[in-house]
């Protein structure tokens, strides 16, 4: 089985495996990766807070996402610990081209539930891709502490991925969610294909 085939099977239905060269160049720029990663965790927490505030009438959504906010902020803290203990600088956030591109795919208009579906699926996708990248880092980088760190985060983000998909299926027609999920997966593969390979970004 080729590297692409085996990776594809294991990676949460993503349609394009990360270029295997990414992990090598990311390891060489690990300070940039950690800083970018810290902001990814911040954005994950912020996006859950936004969903809670915008859909405050949906009890299960509020109760499910509230602990995830705490978890994501816990991840932010853990990334910051890694940055501080290595004497690295917590720089400014970079332009997040990946998220900007994904946002362009969010359907405008439509019902409130459709809007919710779009955001839940976009979050699920970011979790899935992060999970795939954490796995690559945990398996391939030399720093043993970071191997363990990324392994633990990979497990956590995989759980979030499942939660977002389940919430989407709960609050909107499951068949339509599944169909739209495939469109999101196709779109994300195209986005990634058209982005330059760079080692200073998590995505
Ligand atoms: Fe996280
Ligand atoms: Fe997450």
């Amino acid at each position: 089985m080729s590297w692409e085939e085996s990776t594809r099977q294991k990676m949460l239905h993503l349609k394009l495996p990360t270029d295997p060269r990414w992990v090598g160049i990311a390891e060489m720029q690990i300070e940039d990766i950690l800083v970018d990663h810290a902001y990814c965790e911040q954005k994950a927490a912020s996006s859950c807070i936004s969903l809670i505030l915008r859909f405050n009438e949906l009890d299960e959504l509020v109760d499910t996402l509230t602990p995830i906010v705490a978890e994501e902020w816990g991840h932010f803290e853990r990334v910051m610990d890694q940055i501080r203990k290595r004497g690295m600088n917590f720089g400014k956030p970079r332009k997040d081209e990946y998220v900007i591109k994904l946002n362009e795919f969010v359907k405008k208009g439509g019902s409130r539930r459709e809007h919710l579906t779009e955001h839940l699926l976009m979050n699920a996708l970011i979790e899935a891709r992060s999970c795939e990248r954490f796995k690559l880092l945990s398996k391939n980088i030399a720093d043993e502490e970071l191997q363990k760190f990324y392994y633990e985060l990979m497990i956590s983000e995989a759980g979030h991925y499942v939660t977002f998909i389940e919430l989407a299926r709960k609050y909107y027609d499951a068949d339509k969610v599944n169909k739209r999920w495939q469109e999101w997966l196709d779109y994300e593969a195209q986005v990634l294909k058209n982005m330059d390979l760079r080692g200073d970004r998590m995505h």
Side-chain angles (χ1 to χ4, degrees):
M1 194 183 284
S2 71
W3 184 88
E4 280 78 9
E5 279 163 349
S6 63
T7 311
R8 191 172 288 122
Q9 282 179 9
K10 291 179 211 147
M11 64 180 201
L12 313 146
H13 313 296
L14 293 169
K15 303 232 169 152
L16 185 74
T18 288
D19 187 318
R21 291 171 299 172
W22 173 77
V23 71
I25 56 172
E27 187 174 20
M28 289 190 287
Q29 289 170 266
I30 200 69
E31 179 167 4
D32 292 325
I33 287 290
L34 284 166
V35 172
D36 193 56
H37 181 183
Y39 285 109
C40 290
E41 299 295 355
Q42 172 266 310
K43 279 176 268 187
S46 300
S47 111
C48 286
I49 292 172
S50 300
L51 286 173
I52 290 168
L53 299 181
R54 280 171 65 188
F55 297 94
N56 61 343
E57 77 280 15
L58 304 177
D59 291 349
E60 192 178 327
L61 178 115
V62 171
D63 295 347
T64 304
L65 294 187
T66 299
I68 295 185
V69 173
E71 250 183 79
E72 300 292 20
W73 200 247
H75 293 171
F76 175 85
E77 245 186 307
R78 291 186 61 187
V79 183
M80 286 306 296
D81 281 350
Q82 295 296 333
I83 290 171
R84 295 289 185 230
K85 77 198 290 185
R86 288 173 168 74
M88 297 168 171
N89 287 317
F90 180 46
K92 287 199 166 81
R94 298 170 184 85
K95 193 175 162 202
D96 194 338
E97 290 164 53
Y98 177 74
V99 169
I100 291 170
K101 282 284 169 205
L102 292 187
N103 253 315
E104 289 173 5
F105 195 62
V106 171
K107 273 188 196 159
K108 309 292 179 285
S111 67
R112 210 169 139 66
R113 285 299 171 96
E114 282 171 301
H115 209 201
L116 172 63
T117 305
E118 290 293 283
H119 284 280
L120 289 172
L121 293 183
M122 186 170 103
N123 283 10
L125 200 43
I126 298 171
E127 295 286 358
R129 182 59 72 187
S130 304
C131 187
E132 187 229 12
R133 299 241 159 147
F134 291 166
K135 186 174 184 177
L136 285 171
L137 290 167
S138 79
K139 285 195 156 188
N140 294 289
I141 60 177
D143 185 314
E144 284 179 15
E145 188 178 347
L146 287 180
Q147 282 174 13
K148 192 168 166 286
F149 175 66
Y150 279 116
Y151 181 79
E152 288 169 12
L153 291 194
M154 173 193 82
I155 304 288
S156 172
E157 311 304 6
H160 296 163
Y161 153 76
V162 172
T163 301
F164 284 122
I165 297 271
E166 283 175 351
L167 280 173
R169 289 184 183 136
K170 178 185 167 62
Y171 286 115
Y172 197 59
D173 181 277
D175 289 339
K176 286 183 184 161
V177 168
N178 295 342
K179 186 170 170 281
R180 184 63 179 152
W181 177 236
Q182 292 305 314
E183 292 170 3
W184 269 103
L185 287 169
D186 288 335
Y187 177 75
E188 196 259 0
Q190 282 309 312
V191 167
L192 216 61
K193 207 172 171 180
N194 294 326
M195 277 174 70
D196 294 334
L197 181 71
R198 38 194 305 178
D200 61 346
R201 306 285 162 93
M202 192 53 89
H203 302 108

